[in-house]
Amino acid sequence: SSLTTSPSTPLLLKILLPFLLLANHVLFYHAQTKPMWNLTYHTDIAISATASTIKSKATFDALNLPHHYEFTNKETKVVETFTYMDAIRKLWKAEGLGGGRVELLSKISAALLVAFSGIWPHLKLVLVHLCWFWPFGRGVWLDDDGDDDYDEEDVEVEEEHDEGHAHPTHNQTIRKRCNRKTRRCGCNNSEITMIRKNRNNCFPSCSTTSSCSCCSDGHPHQSHAIRTPFLRTLSTLGKWSLADVFVVCILIAVLHLDWNVHPDDIRSGIEKELPTLLSYVQGKYPDAVKDCTDLLGYTCGKHALVIHYPACLACQAAINAAYSHPGWATSEGKDIVEGVTLEGGGYARLRVVGMIGTYYFCAAVVMSILMGLVVEWMDGRDGERVEEKLL
């Protein structure tokens, strides 16, 4: 029989479970279409820089920079929002990963993500639906192989016929097993008839993994069912979805990047990376004349006014010295940075924030596992009912 018509299944489950399975499909659909998480940063920084030495003040004056400068940044921004489909698309395109083997592995990952995180959760629920509604057969078979606890003997069994029939009563000799410990023999006539008809299909001796039971006469029997091992396989494979939950939870829990902004750390970082910073600035602003025109706010070079010549020449000299002298960053440049007093501080934070899709997915996975366990439990109860009836 099917579980939905089995007498051992409570009426409440017969009514609710199909609707709960459909609701589980809806939860998985929302989890795969709604935003799952986003990458967010938050900054709250207030830094002031003051030129405090003659060399730093002179450089600031040449570049037309104020001696005192304040920088304030307080911002919260979502860098990017991720969905299930975004993850598949990015893996398939392999953006920023280069080509060759890495791109192939990225495409394989996208295909696996579609199969195991997209299709499999719904397929598992469909198969649970099948196990709930489809009438799978169940029975018990005599273990007719040798057993140390049993002897075989010839016994005569009289086949009785209904009254009113002309068929004579006769005896039949069959092989029957006797328990050495209890000296009680075999089963009733109907079971013997069943055993005789199916003697060639009997299962081998019960092993440690077999489902065996005994009748009231001590005769060993082995359960035979298709639905039970199928449900156990579904339960095992269904736990794959927990891997997705663990990955999302790990991302949310682990990706907490905090940077505490301290003036001394900023100065030491600038001094250490000054050659790199200078190389970047030179690549972006290579023309000293144009740079001075932008900094001073008036034309420099051949078309500069006479009154602006001194300022333009001082500005160009400062920039050309930084660009052209290889050791400028570790000598004069370092002195200028050390002559700037930094005050203030702040922090910057980078977070992965779970969104509604994550909660839908976690609820759907837990619900799917629970539904599988309930159906497996009902199958076990139905199996006990059938075996008690047969034995």
Side-chain angles (χ1 to χ4, degrees):
S1 64
S2 67
L3 293 178
T4 190
T5 59
S6 173
S8 61
T9 304
L11 178 60
L12 184 62
L13 274 180
K14 292 180 180 180
I15 298 173
L16 287 182
L17 197 132
F19 294 101
L20 291 175
L21 290 172
L22 291 176
N24 208 169
H25 279 289
V26 175
L27 281 177
F28 272 117
Y29 171 77
H30 282 292
Q32 293 164 350
T33 55
K34 299 288 184 180
M36 297 196 71
W37 69 86
N38 60 37
L39 185 63
T40 304
Y41 75 83
H42 177 69
T43 59
D44 187 1
I45 301 172
I47 296 289
S48 64
T50 305
S52 55
T53 63
I54 296 176
K55 181 177 289 188
S56 61
K57 288 180 180 180
T59 303
F60 278 40
D61 290 338
L63 300 177
N64 196 29
L65 299 176
H67 291 181
H68 181 77
Y69 177 78
E70 293 184 356
F71 171 80
T72 302
N73 182 273
K74 189 173 184 179
E75 181 182 15
T76 299
K77 184 178 180 180
V78 176
V79 179
E80 190 169 1
T81 300
F82 296 90
T83 65
Y84 172 75
M85 295 305 298
D86 288 335
I88 295 173
R89 185 166 49 252
K90 290 180 183 297
L91 284 173
W92 186 258
K93 292 181 178 179
E95 296 177 350
L97 297 180
R101 183 177 297 179
V102 177
E103 183 177 357
L104 177 61
L105 291 175
S106 182
K107 290 183 181 296
I108 293 175
S109 300
L112 292 176
L113 190 61
V114 171
F116 291 102
S117 300
I119 298 174
W120 168 245
H122 295 283
L123 177 60
K124 183 218 171 184
L125 292 175
V126 170
L127 295 176
V128 173
H129 271 284
L130 178 66
C131 291
W132 183 254
F133 289 105
W134 190 263
F136 288 89
R138 179 186 289 273
V140 290
W141 302 91
L142 174 67
D143 185 359
D144 200 36
D145 287 352
D147 193 303
D148 292 340
D149 291 336
Y150 289 86
D151 289 330
E152 288 191 345
E153 62 179 359
D154 292 337
V155 291
E156 291 186 352
V157 179
E158 185 177 284
E159 293 185 353
E160 296 181 357
H161 298 270
D162 295 336
E163 294 181 3
H165 290 76
H167 301 289
T169 300
H170 63 278
N171 293 337
Q172 224 178 7
T173 301
I174 66 170
R175 300 291 293 175
K176 195 174 182 185
R177 306 175 74 200
C178 181
N179 192 311
R180 291 176 182 171
K181 296 178 181 178
T182 63
R183 307 305 300 171
R184 298 179 62 188
C185 296
C187 303
N188 58 43
N189 292 347
S190 62
E191 289 176 308
I192 290 175
T193 302
M194 182 271 292
I195 294 165
R196 282 175 51 78
K197 290 180 179 179
N198 300 284
R199 182 175 293 275
N200 294 331
N201 298 324
C202 286
F203 282 86
S205 299
C206 295
S207 63
T208 56
T209 59
S210 299
S211 177
C212 297
S213 56
C214 290
C215 63
S216 59
D217 288 326
H219 216 144
H221 295 270
Q222 184 173 20
S223 298
H224 169 58
I226 298 175
R227 183 169 53 211
T228 299
F230 185 69
L231 282 172
R232 288 175 181 171
T233 303
L234 276 183
S235 179
T236 301
L237 296 177
K239 294 179 177 63
W240 164 264
S241 298
L242 286 174
D244 296 329
V245 176
F246 290 149
V247 169
V248 174
C249 291
I250 289 172
L251 280 175
I252 295 174
V254 173
L255 194 53
H256 280 199
L257 302 180
D258 295 331
W259 178 41
N260 293 319
V261 181
H262 193 274
D264 293 337
D265 295 335
I266 295 175
R267 177 185 287 105
S268 61
I270 293 175
E271 291 178 357
K272 182 178 179 181
E273 301 297 333
L274 189 57
T276 304
L277 294 173
L278 186 61
S279 177
Y280 170 78
V281 172
Q282 185 177 3
K284 193 170 184 179
Y285 307 101
D287 191 349
V289 175
K290 187 177 182 303
D291 297 340
C292 289
T293 299
D294 295 337
L295 289 169
L296 299 176
Y298 43 78
T299 304
C300 290
K302 296 186 296 182
H303 304 288
L305 298 177
V306 176
I307 194 175
H308 295 154
Y309 271 175
C312 288
L313 292 175
C315 178
Q316 293 174 37
I319 293 176
N320 288 328
Y323 287 173
S324 58
H325 293 94
W328 184 90
T330 57
S331 56
E332 188 173 353
K334 184 178 179 181
D335 294 338
I336 294 172
V337 173
E338 290 179 348
V340 177
T341 302
L342 297 177
E343 295 178 346
Y347 63 87
R349 295 173 180 170
L350 186 65
R351 295 284 189 271
V352 170
V353 181
M355 300 184 70
I356 188 67
T358 299
Y359 306 131
Y360 273 131
F361 192 79
C362 293
V365 170
V366 173
M367 186 176 179
S368 176
I369 293 175
L370 290 178
M371 290 299 98
L373 291 175
V374 169
V375 174
E376 194 173 351
W377 176 41
M378 289 298 101
D379 176 70
R381 291 185 57 175
D382 183 67
E384 292 176 1
R385 177 187 66 84
V386 172
E387 290 176 8
E388 287 178 3
K389 185 176 180 180
L390 292 176
L391 296 178

